[in-house]
Amino acid sequence: MTTDPTSVRHWGMFLEPIPPSDEFLTLNFSLDRANRLQRWRNYGLSADFLGDYFATFFPGNGTDDGLSQRDTIKGSVSYIANELLENAVKYSTIDHDYPITITLHLYDNKLIFETSNIAPQQTIVEYENFIKALEERDPMELYLERLEKSALEDCEASQIGLLTMINDYQAQFGWRFVSIPDGQNLIQVTVMAHLSVEI
């Protein structure tokens, strides 16, 4: 895939290039969208695998509340990876077959999640409007507003998972949107989530 550098847009804490890390793991998912949707449950299993894998780098000593740092990391990684994967699948193009990728990078004081998928332009317009609102407003205020809208309209509010990652896990986000030349209004979306940790 070739790209025109003038068609690249960045938001938030997007690192390019991402710093090298000694420990990282990448999972790639099927090119075929129909197969990806049939295997929806597998994303939760994949997220749990990532949680188990990266938890092994942290101490397993118990604390007063009965949870070890290993347990906490396992739960956090599993939740964030699952939300990122589900969003990547949900908003991917339905007309073309492109893979979905998730990579976790481990550093001394943080984990960085990186997902990549291809989405139609009309989906991205709404997504970037949400990011603009996120940069200007309090995330908790946005979260409560979307919950209220969801209850009043009896529908599933969008971006609740992302706002939960920010409010409950203190995750910080960066985004990159790259137009694909001759891609029939398709955009490569890369989402970067930073989770503070200490080994």
Side-chain angles (χ1 to χ4, degrees):
M1 178 187 313
T2 59
T3 57
D4 174 2
T6 61
S7 66
V8 179
R9 301 184 301 283
H10 295 94
W11 295 92
M13 288 182 58
F14 194 89
L15 305 177
E16 193 169 46
I18 190 167
S21 59
D22 291 335
E23 298 291 345
F24 66 92
L25 182 64
T26 298
L27 299 179
N28 292 306
F29 295 88
S30 174
L31 290 171
D32 184 83
R33 176 178 164 78
N35 287 340
R36 288 200 305 259
L37 291 176
Q38 288 175 359
R39 297 181 179 90
W40 186 263
R41 181 174 170 272
N42 289 3
Y43 302 114
L45 296 174
S46 300
D48 288 344
F49 166 73
L50 291 170
D52 284 332
Y53 181 85
F54 279 93
T56 61
F57 295 99
F58 294 85
N61 300 330
T63 57
D64 292 343
D65 60 7
L67 289 175
S68 66
Q69 187 181 15
R70 183 175 296 168
D71 294 333
T72 302
I73 292 296
K74 178 180 174 181
S76 299
V77 168
S78 178
Y79 181 85
I80 293 173
N82 190 53
E83 287 293 328
L84 293 174
L85 280 172
E86 287 189 354
N87 282 342
V89 173
K90 190 186 307 179
Y91 297 112
S92 283
T93 177
I94 60 173
D95 299 321
H96 301 272
D97 293 334
Y98 288 101
I100 291 173
T101 300
I102 183 168
T103 301
L104 259 71
H105 305 265
L106 176 63
Y107 303 94
D108 288 343
N109 59 358
K110 73 164 65 172
L111 277 163
I112 295 181
F113 302 70
E114 189 177 23
T115 59
S116 179
N117 66 291
I118 304 293
Q121 174 67 39
Q122 62 267 30
T123 301
I124 298 308
V125 171
E126 184 179 344
Y127 196 5
E128 288 194 280
N129 285 337
F130 168 76
I131 294 169
K132 288 177 193 172
L134 188 58
E135 292 202 336
E136 295 168 357
R137 298 181 56 189
D138 175 46
M140 182 54 77
E141 182 182 303
L142 268 177
Y143 175 77
L144 295 174
E145 183 180 285
R146 294 204 172 223
L147 277 185
E148 184 178 356
K149 181 180 178 183
S150 175
L152 290 174
E153 298 179 1
D154 194 23
C155 64
E156 183 181 350
S158 62
Q159 309 301 351
I160 287 289
L162 194 148
L163 289 165
T164 299
M165 289 185 268
I166 294 172
N167 290 315
D168 292 0
Y169 295 88
Q170 289 74 51
Q172 295 179 295
F173 280 83
W175 296 267
R176 182 183 65 193
F177 299 93
V178 182
S179 299
I180 298 176
D182 302 324
Q184 302 175 27
N185 294 321
L186 295 177
I187 307 291
Q188 182 183 36
V189 183
T190 305
V191 181
M192 194 174 278
H194 304 248
L195 179 67
S196 294
V197 297
E198 287 188 15
I199 297 179

